[in-house]
Amino acid sequence: MKFHLISTWKMSLEGSRKAYETLKNQNDLAEALINGVVNVEDDETVHSVGYGGLPAKDGKVYLDAAYMNGTNMSFGAVSALENIKNPIKVAYHLSKRNLNCYLTGEGASEYAINEGFEQYQMLSTTAYDKWLNRSQELMHDTVCFIGKVDDDMAVAVSTSGLFMKEKGRVGDSPNIGSGYYVDSLIGGCAATGVGENIMRGCLSFKVVMLIKQGIYVQEACKITMNEHIAYLKERNIAYDDISIIALDANGKFGAATSKKAFPFVYADDQLEPRIMVCFNDGKDIWVDQATDEWLATYQGD
Amino acid sequence: MKFHLISTWKMSLEGSRKAYETLKNQNDLAEALINGVVNVEDDETVHSVGYGGLPAKDGKVYLDAAYMNGTNMSFGAVSALENIKNPIKVAYHLSKRNLNCYLTGEGASEYAINEGFEQYQMLSTTAYDKWLNRSQELMHDTVCFIGKVDDDMAVAVSTSGLFMKEKGRVGDSPNIGSGYYVDSLIGGCAATGVGENIMRGCLSFKVVMLIKQGIYVQEACKITMNEHIAYLKERNIAYDDISIIALDANGKFGAATSKKAFPFVYADDQLEPRIMVCFNDGKDIWVDQATDEWLATYQGD
């Protein structure tokens, strides 16, 4: 059995190991991606996803998540979900429906409760303290997993969104085409960063369209990022925090970032999960393995 | 001064006249599109947009709207908005911000109230009766206006979404790339129909990407629709109710539909608003003027 797995940020390493084990033992793509995302959602030290996620301006934690099956093109999403332990499980559950598969706010929370999903007070003490102190750090690191098992591909994303976001703010993550997109016959892509600026370019769908045109996955990521940075620059819109990962139908992966460096995790049936880094020096965008030296100095998620 | 204006459904004729007058007298693109959409939102006889819109399963009216400026790429959107008279005005107001420009649910409604937007009980008696009788008619006709004045383009959309939708259901309309997208240097596109099936293909962004590749706007609409119908068919997903309109940076317009016929309205500085029809006979998709004979027999919006 052949599989490939790519996920955003160093913080997804443990989740990637969980997903990797699931694939080795159960060969279940959906289960693997959900286990990967749940591991990050449940990690209190990650302040941009699930439990421990930083609250909005009003002090409450509102969560977004989405799941898409690239074979039957079903998708499910939630935004502004409250007090549910694992948003990704709700999104996956919703992806089983043809209609009403993207729910928001109270409707999403009530659906999750009625369907028996575990309720949980998602605001951790640390997150609450950070909120009290209005820590200036902008947290918007979304966890995204893209996986491929044999001919099937899927993508799963989860985030608490922009720190100090306004109540009801929706970013790119639950929005198909911007935060995520996958077609098992072509490939998949997912994004992390400032959602509003990702949405202006529908980055995930654009990368998949370029792959469909025959452009190699890493080149598709690079072209999309460079065009988007230029496009935002021309309009004086911030472009300093946008990153994407992609995986094509041949199992080749790619990444691009507008940051100096963006770590992500890759694994396949031949290779245990390892941290990779996408670099952007303003001239070129390329991917390399994370060296111990680099990891020793890296501060972010 | 040159301008072009295209809008979805016969129901937008009066709104198109309002927008046309605004352009003739004030040459204000945003004002024109908003006047056009507001005319449909305020029309009680239109049961899929604004006041008079059909309620969700729970008997309440939840509204979605979005506005995008194709020149500075700013956009604003609301979903699951309650008790606010004109959702499009809130979406336009939100488009003035760089962050937190897409708000949903309670957060969107509270924002609108705080900003002083007119509150209104949006459930009309007729709409309530239709809800009581669970009229089987599926209502999901979104009003979309795309306009171009000199070198500036913008798009505005508004809908009450799928009839009997679940509380919190989000369709394509507020989602950039699926329900709408515009770039003044390339063109714009907007969609109406079953949102879940439009979102699977990010139809609005796809049309704009094809125009960018040099494909003529009507051909871009046709290719996008035919590829999407085939793509949904292969996966046994309903494709019988999807329509799009588009306008390119040269002021040329296009449309495509998966229905037998889809009426829309076109106007420009040389031509007063007139109803056009996009036909799909299963072999070809083409646009023609609406004849009196056709209009006499047409039942829909």
Side-chain angles (χ1 to χ4, degrees):
Chain A
M1 179 264 306
K2 289 197 65 175
F3 68 80
H4 302 268
L5 190 65
I6 185 169
S7 52
T8 53
W9 304 108
K10 185 165 130 289
M11 70 187 184
S12 71
L13 180 60
E14 203 46 47
S16 180
R17 290 182 177 136
K18 292 274 186 303
Y20 178 86
E21 286 311 314
T22 311
L23 290 170
K24 283 277 185 190
N25 305 329
Q26 291 159 257
N27 188 23
D28 183 330
L29 179 56
E31 185 71 15
L33 298 191
I34 288 161
N35 288 345
V37 171
V38 161
N39 176 272
V40 185
E41 285 181 339
D42 291 348
D43 185 342
E44 179 178 351
T45 68
V46 175
H47 295 300
S48 55
V49 179
Y51 179 65
L54 295 179
K57 255 188 190 159
D58 65 358
K60 292 182 180 172
V61 180
Y62 301 100
L63 302 169
D64 303 339
Y67 182 90
M68 184 172 189
N69 173 325
T71 302
N72 62 19
M73 306 312 291
S74 64
F75 70 100
V78 288
S79 56
L81 182 72
E82 283 184 87
N83 303 319
I84 299 297
K85 193 163 189 294
N86 294 111
I88 190 62
K89 291 183 180 176
V90 185
Y92 175 67
H93 196 68
L94 283 165
S95 76
K96 300 295 184 182
R97 322 165 118 193
N98 287 327
L99 298 175
N100 297 287
C101 53
Y102 175 4
L103 298 180
T104 190
E106 261 184 29
S109 307
E110 290 169 9
Y111 169 84
I113 291 165
N114 294 337
E115 293 294 319
F117 286 92
E118 185 177 354
Q119 298 181 57
Y120 206 74
Q121 158 46 274
M122 300 299 278
L123 180 58
S124 73
T125 324
T126 332
Y128 181 65
D129 292 343
K130 281 177 176 289
W131 176 79
L132 278 181
N133 307 323
R134 300 286 186 277
S135 344
Q136 277 316 297
E137 48 187 320
L138 269 175
M139 303 297 271
H140 37 60
D141 296 346
T142 301
V143 61
C144 310
F145 275 82
I146 310 172
K148 173 174 163 61
V149 172
D150 300 329
D151 293 335
D152 296 320
M153 295 187 71
V155 56
V157 303
S158 183
T159 185
S160 56
L162 214 54
F163 177 44
M164 294 302 289
K165 68 184 177 185
E166 294 189 12
K167 178 179 181 182
R169 178 261 186 186
V170 181
D172 61 302
S173 301
N175 290 336
I176 185 167
S178 291
Y180 66 99
Y181 194 80
V182 62
D183 181 334
S184 299
L185 301 173
I186 304 168
C189 181
T192 172
V194 180
E196 287 80 352
N197 297 337
I198 290 166
M199 288 191 275
R200 293 177 214 276
C202 296
L203 298 187
S204 294
F205 186 72
K206 182 170 180 176
V207 167
V208 174
M209 273 198 79
L210 292 181
I211 296 171
K212 189 182 179 190
Q213 289 168 32
I215 296 168
Y216 185 68
V217 56
Q218 177 56 31
E219 191 60 18
C221 291
K222 202 170 126 176
I223 291 169
T224 297
M225 185 59 63
N226 283 332
E227 284 186 1
H228 195 55
I229 289 171
Y231 164 103
L232 293 176
K233 267 187 186 172
E234 286 161 12
R235 293 160 178 87
N236 301 309
I237 301 168
Y239 58 88
D240 58 337
D241 191 354
I242 297 173
S243 304
I244 54 177
I245 55 169
L247 186 67
D248 71 16
N250 301 317
K252 303 295 181 191
F253 68 88
T257 185
S258 66
K259 297 163 72 83
K260 283 190 170 48
F262 158 65
F264 61 97
V265 179
Y266 175 77
D268 61 37
D269 48 283
Q270 304 298 318
L271 186 77
E272 292 192 359
R274 66 173 59 180
I275 299 171
M276 312 289 293
V277 192
C278 180
F279 295 97
N280 183 342
D281 64 3
K283 294 187 208 65
D284 196 13
I285 294 174
W286 71 97
V287 167
D288 207 340
Q289 283 193 41
T291 61
D292 297 342
E293 296 74 2
W294 187 85
L295 287 168
T297 56
Y298 179 67
Q299 296 297 330
D301 282 334
Chain B
M1 179 262 305
K2 290 196 65 174
F3 68 78
H4 303 267
L5 190 64
I6 184 170
S7 52
T8 52
W9 305 107
K10 185 166 130 288
M11 69 187 184
S12 71
L13 180 60
E14 203 44 47
S16 181
R17 290 183 178 134
K18 292 274 187 303
Y20 178 87
E21 286 311 314
T22 310
L23 290 171
K24 283 274 184 191
N25 306 330
Q26 290 160 272
N27 188 23
D28 183 330
L29 178 57
E31 186 71 16
L33 298 191
I34 288 161
N35 288 344
V37 171
V38 163
N39 176 271
V40 185
E41 285 180 340
D42 292 348
D43 184 343
E44 179 177 352
T45 69
V46 175
H47 295 301
S48 55
V49 179
Y51 179 65
L54 295 178
K57 255 189 190 156
D58 66 359
K60 292 183 182 172
V61 179
Y62 301 100
L63 302 169
D64 302 340
Y67 182 91
M68 184 172 189
N69 172 327
T71 303
N72 63 19
M73 306 312 290
S74 65
F75 70 100
V78 289
S79 56
L81 183 71
E82 282 184 89
N83 304 319
I84 298 296
K85 193 163 190 294
N86 294 110
I88 191 61
K89 290 183 180 175
V90 184
Y92 176 66
H93 196 69
L94 283 165
S95 76
K96 301 294 183 182
R97 321 164 116 193
N98 287 327
L99 298 176
N100 298 285
C101 53
Y102 176 4
L103 298 180
T104 190
E106 262 185 27
S109 308
E110 290 169 10
Y111 168 84
I113 291 164
N114 295 338
E115 294 294 318
F117 286 92
E118 185 177 355
Q119 297 181 57
Y120 205 73
Q121 157 50 267
M122 300 298 278
L123 181 58
S124 72
T125 324
T126 332
Y128 182 64
D129 291 344
K130 282 178 175 286
W131 176 79
L132 279 180
N133 306 323
R134 299 288 187 274
S135 346
Q136 278 315 296
E137 44 187 325
L138 268 175
M139 302 298 273
H140 38 59
D141 295 346
T142 301
V143 61
C144 311
F145 274 82
I146 310 173
K148 173 173 163 61
V149 172
D150 299 330
D151 293 336
D152 297 321
M153 295 187 71
V155 56
V157 303
S158 183
T159 184
S160 55
L162 213 55
F163 178 44
M164 294 302 289
K165 68 184 178 185
E166 294 190 13
K167 179 180 181 181
R169 177 262 186 184
V170 181
D172 61 302
S173 301
N175 290 335
I176 186 168
S178 291
Y180 66 97
Y181 194 80
V182 61
D183 181 333
S184 298
L185 301 174
I186 304 167
C189 180
T192 173
V194 179
E196 288 80 353
N197 296 337
I198 290 166
M199 288 192 275
R200 295 178 211 275
C202 296
L203 298 188
S204 294
F205 185 72
K206 183 170 179 177
V207 167
V208 174
M209 273 197 80
L210 292 182
I211 296 172
K212 187 182 178 189
Q213 289 169 33
I215 295 168
Y216 185 68
V217 57
Q218 177 55 29
E219 191 61 17
C221 290
K222 201 170 127 175
I223 291 169
T224 298
M225 185 59 62
N226 284 331
E227 284 187 0
H228 195 54
I229 290 171
Y231 165 102
L232 294 177
K233 267 187 185 172
E234 287 162 11
R235 294 162 178 85
N236 302 311
I237 301 169
Y239 58 87
D240 57 338
D241 190 354
I242 297 173
S243 304
I244 53 176
I245 54 169
L247 186 68
D248 72 15
N250 301 317
K252 303 295 182 191
F253 68 88
T257 184
S258 67
K259 297 162 74 80
K260 283 188 171 49
F262 158 64
F264 62 97
V265 179
Y266 176 77
D268 61 36
D269 48 285
Q270 303 300 317
L271 186 77
E272 293 192 356
R274 65 172 59 180
I275 299 171
M276 312 287 295
V277 191
C278 180
F279 295 97
N280 184 342
D281 64 3
K283 295 188 205 66
D284 196 14
I285 295 174
W286 71 97
V287 168
D288 208 342
Q289 283 193 41
T291 61
D292 296 342
E293 295 75 2
W294 187 85
L295 287 168
T297 55
Y298 180 67
Q299 297 296 331
D301 281 334

